[in-house]
């Protein structure tokens, strides 16, 4: 069939069979019906209700989801808060318990003599051996097959080292090796002879680090008061005596990797399962609501894709044109995509939350990310319904219009920003702690853009050599002048200019695309009753070759 062959439409089996017609003799009634169908697709939920009597179930469901998902997040947040508080307070307790003379104000906890290093290592071991007799909490040693896991004391040192600072000579072997000893909690060590019994020797010329590693178990029982079963915690504690710099200063740090496990056997007397069942039931309500929302929004996206295909074919046949991608994207509602992503995350997070509540899993971090992101997207997604009120939707319109120019502008600004980061890291890093690493330099410069730490940055570079002092002044002055006064102002100007353009469009009307101009020719108001007739007949030509059926 060639392009010159005509089209004709006839009714057959409740479908409209279409044959090729001349594009100049298109059925006016068919064009009007198709235009009315497009207009109905882009109506607001309230307009669709007036046009066809369909209640805005998706809008009602999204508003309901805001309430129930927020309540779910608050409930999980309270449980998560207890877990985080328990971990942080245990870390503080371990520092005070195992580090000698430790204070919370000690940002730079370090040792400077050999006697202090030996004394602090022995102090850690003694504290570990008497853990269950000294600690005020329910801490205990880890058992594996009725055997306590030991404390491991490992030395990391050069294989060979011989140095003479007086003669400025030295010999080092670049590779290193480890030497570890294990100390069991039931070992018969005495306080006075602990050093001799362990036979601990430290060669400080070769020593790189001393790592003390051990495990401590604890139970978070505060959840019982909130009608929740407790979790069992495994704290993998590592105390590091860092001598890599060989600068006469050995830094001490305590880190704790926490593993949350399900308690093997636990019974809380006086508690009932009603609270747990209500929480699980509420989570199931959330899952069902999100699943229904996911189905409805997916159906709407699919309907938009079908209508996009029909419009593309219609324009191709009747106007001999191709539809631009910008017009094609008008049929794909980005808000529905956002809601679909939110529903997917919320369903996954709710299932994981039920597993956590039932103590089948203990992965709080993944659940927090899923539920937190889902709640954020739900709240943002409801702004779709503000799009039908232009005065309230001006923020989204401004961001949407300004985003392409802002991205292009930011790309150039990032190049300049990275150049300053590299320069500051290399030049000022040896003289200023805020530029010591590349990440720290990036953080410091970003703070300078926002007006933070300006005085402290200048002050810490005041007592350096004249060359460094002069360079630092030129560096910081030029950065602040360039980013704070120029780049940031231009970025704001892009947003402001877009905002003024949007306000102008709201007063005098925005330029219409070909799709919008085609739809605007339909003058039928929503309450005219014609949209109801279109729904009952459902007869429009899909315009596909060689034979087209209407649905």
């Amino acid at each position: 069939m060639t392009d010159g062959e005509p089209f004709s439409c006839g009714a057959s089996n409740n479908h409209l069979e279409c044959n090729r017609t001349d594009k100049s003799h298109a059925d006016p009634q068919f064009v009007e019906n198709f235009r009315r169908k497009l207009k109905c697709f882009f109506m607001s939920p309230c307009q669709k209700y007036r046009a066809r009597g369909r209640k805005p179930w998706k809008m009602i469901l999204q508003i309901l989801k805001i309430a129930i998902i927020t309540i779910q997040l608050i409930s999980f947040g309270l449980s998560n808060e207890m877990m985080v508080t328990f971990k942080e307070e245990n870390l503080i307790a371990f520092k005070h318990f195992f580090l000698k003379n430790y204070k919370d104000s000690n940002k730079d906890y370090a040792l400077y003599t050999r006697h202090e290093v030996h004394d602090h290592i022995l102090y850690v071991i003694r504290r570990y051996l008497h853990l269950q007799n000294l600690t005020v909490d329910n801490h205990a040693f880890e058992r594996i097959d009725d055997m306590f896991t030991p404390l491991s004391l490992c030395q990391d040192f050069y294989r060979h080292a011989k140095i003479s600072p007086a003669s400025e000579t030295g010999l080092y072997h670049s590779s290193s090796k480890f030497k570890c000893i294990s100390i069991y909690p039931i070992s018969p060590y005495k306080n006075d002879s602990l050093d001799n019994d362990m036979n601990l020797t430290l060669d400080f010329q070769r020593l790189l680090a001393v790592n003390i590693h051990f495990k401590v178990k604890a139970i978070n029982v505060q959840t019982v008061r909130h009608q929740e079963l407790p979790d069992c915690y495994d704290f993998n504690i590592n105390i590091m005596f860092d001598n890599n710099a060989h600068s006469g200063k050995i830094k001490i740090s305590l880190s704790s990797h926490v593993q949350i496990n399900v308690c093997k056997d636990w019974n809380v007397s006086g508690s009932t399962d009603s609270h747990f069942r209500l929480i699980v039931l509420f989570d199931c309500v959330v899952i069902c609501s999100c699943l229904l929302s996911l189905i409805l929004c997916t159906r709407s996206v699919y309907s938009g894709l079908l209508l996009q295909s029909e419009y593309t074919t219609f324009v191709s046949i009747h106007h001999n044109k191709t539809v631009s991608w910008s017009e094609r994207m008008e049929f794909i509602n980005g808000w529905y995509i956002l809601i679909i992503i939110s529903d997917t995350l919320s369903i996954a997070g709710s299932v994981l939350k039920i597993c956590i509540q039932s103590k089948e899993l203990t992965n709080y971090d993944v659940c927090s990310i899923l539920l937190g992101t889902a709640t954020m997207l739900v709240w943002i997604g409801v702004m779709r319904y503000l799009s039908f009120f232009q005065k309230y939707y001006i923020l989204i319109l401004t961001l949407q219009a300004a985003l392409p120019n802002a991205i292009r502008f930011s790309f150039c600004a990032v190049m300049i920003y990275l150049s300053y980061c590299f320069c500051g890291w290399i030049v000022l890093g040896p003289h200023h702690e805020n530029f010591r690493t590349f990440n720290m330099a990036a953080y410091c410069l970003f703070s300078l853009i926002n007006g933070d730490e300006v005085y402290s940055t200048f002050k810490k570079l005041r007592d350096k050599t004249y060359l460094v002092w002069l360079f630092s002044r030129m560096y910081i002055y030029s950065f602040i002048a360039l980013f704070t006064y120029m780049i940031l102002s231009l970025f704001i100007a892009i947003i402001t200019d877009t905002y003024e353009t949007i306000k102008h469009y709201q007063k005098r009307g925005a330029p219409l695309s070909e799709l919008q101009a085609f739809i605007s020719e339909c003058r039928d108001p929503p309450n005219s009753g014609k949209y109801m007739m279109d729904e009952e007949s459902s007869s429009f030509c899909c315009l596909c070759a060689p034979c087209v059926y209407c649905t």
Side-chain angles (χ1 to χ4, degrees), residues 124-379:
V124 173
I125 298 174
R126 292 191 187 100
R127 286 284 186 164
Y128 172 75
L129 295 176
H130 298 88
L131 173 69
Q132 293 178 291
N133 297 328
L134 297 177
T135 182
V136 298
D137 202 2
N138 56 352
H139 295 112
F141 302 117
E142 183 187 44
R143 283 176 177 266
I144 299 179
D145 297 332
D146 295 331
M147 289 290 295
F148 289 113
T149 56
L151 175 147
S152 298
L153 191 151
C154 297
Q155 298 183 50
D156 182 13
F157 50 88
Y158 290 112
R159 291 183 179 273
H160 303 286
K162 185 177 181 181
I163 184 172
S164 177
S167 60
E168 300 181 353
T169 59
L171 175 63
Y172 271 93
H173 196 287
S174 59
S175 62
S176 61
K177 66 178 182 177
F178 289 88
K179 179 182 179 182
C180 297
I181 60 175
S182 298
I183 301 174
Y184 289 85
I186 58 174
S187 300
Y189 293 121
K190 297 181 179 179
N191 289 339
D192 298 335
S193 61
L194 181 61
D195 191 7
N196 296 328
D197 293 339
M198 288 193 315
N199 192 22
L200 177 63
T201 57
L202 300 175
D203 187 351
F204 287 94
Q205 282 195 350
R206 300 167 58 196
L207 183 65
L208 291 172
V210 176
N211 288 281
I212 302 177
H213 176 77
F214 54 91
K215 293 184 179 181
V216 175
K217 299 181 72 69
I219 299 177
N220 186 5
V221 296
Q222 63 177 329
T223 57
V224 176
R225 298 178 57 188
H226 298 270
Q227 303 296 324
E228 295 182 18
L229 293 178
D231 289 323
C232 292
Y233 290 70
D234 291 344
F235 293 95
N236 298 308
I237 303 172
N238 184 73
I239 302 175
M240 181 178 182
F241 295 76
D242 187 5
N243 191 40
N244 281 278
H246 281 81
S247 59
K249 173 183 176 180
I250 296 181
K251 295 176 288 185
I252 303 179
S253 61
L254 186 148
S255 60
S256 175
H257 175 70
V258 184
Q259 183 179 0
I260 305 175
N261 301 314
V262 179
C263 295
K264 296 180 180 179
D265 186 16
W266 193 267
N267 184 20
V268 181
S269 61
S271 64
T272 60
D273 295 334
S274 60
H275 180 76
F276 170 74
R277 291 174 181 174
L278 288 175
I279 293 178
V280 173
L281 179 62
F282 186 80
D283 291 334
C284 291
V285 171
V286 174
I287 293 175
C288 293
S289 302
C290 293
L291 186 60
L292 179 59
S293 173
L294 179 64
I295 294 173
L296 293 176
C297 292
T298 304
R299 188 188 68 173
S300 298
V301 172
Y302 179 71
S303 300
L305 292 175
L306 291 180
L307 192 58
Q308 178 202 87
S309 177
E310 294 172 19
Y311 175 74
T312 303
T313 308
F314 175 85
V315 172
S316 176
I317 297 298
H318 290 276
H319 299 281
N320 197 22
K321 293 182 180 180
T322 58
V323 180
S324 63
W325 278 105
S326 60
E327 290 187 6
R328 291 173 183 263
M329 294 304 296
E330 291 187 44
F331 289 92
I332 302 176
N333 196 319
W335 293 110
Y336 286 150
I337 304 298
L338 187 71
I339 295 174
I340 290 173
I341 296 174
S342 171
D343 291 335
T344 304
L345 295 178
S346 185
I347 293 172
S350 298
V351 172
L352 187 57
K353 180 177 180 291
I354 293 176
C355 296
I356 292 175
Q357 294 288 346
S358 60
K359 303 307 175 185
E360 298 294 332
L361 296 173
T362 56
N363 201 331
Y364 284 87
D365 292 336
V366 175
C367 187
S368 300
I369 293 173
L370 293 175
L371 292 181
T373 306
T375 306
M376 178 185 68
L377 296 181
V378 165
W379 279 89

Side-chain angles (χ1 to χ4, degrees), residues 48 210 425 458 469 471-472:
K48 289 181 180 179
V210 176
W425 172 41
F458 276 106
W469 178 87
F471 179 86
S472 66

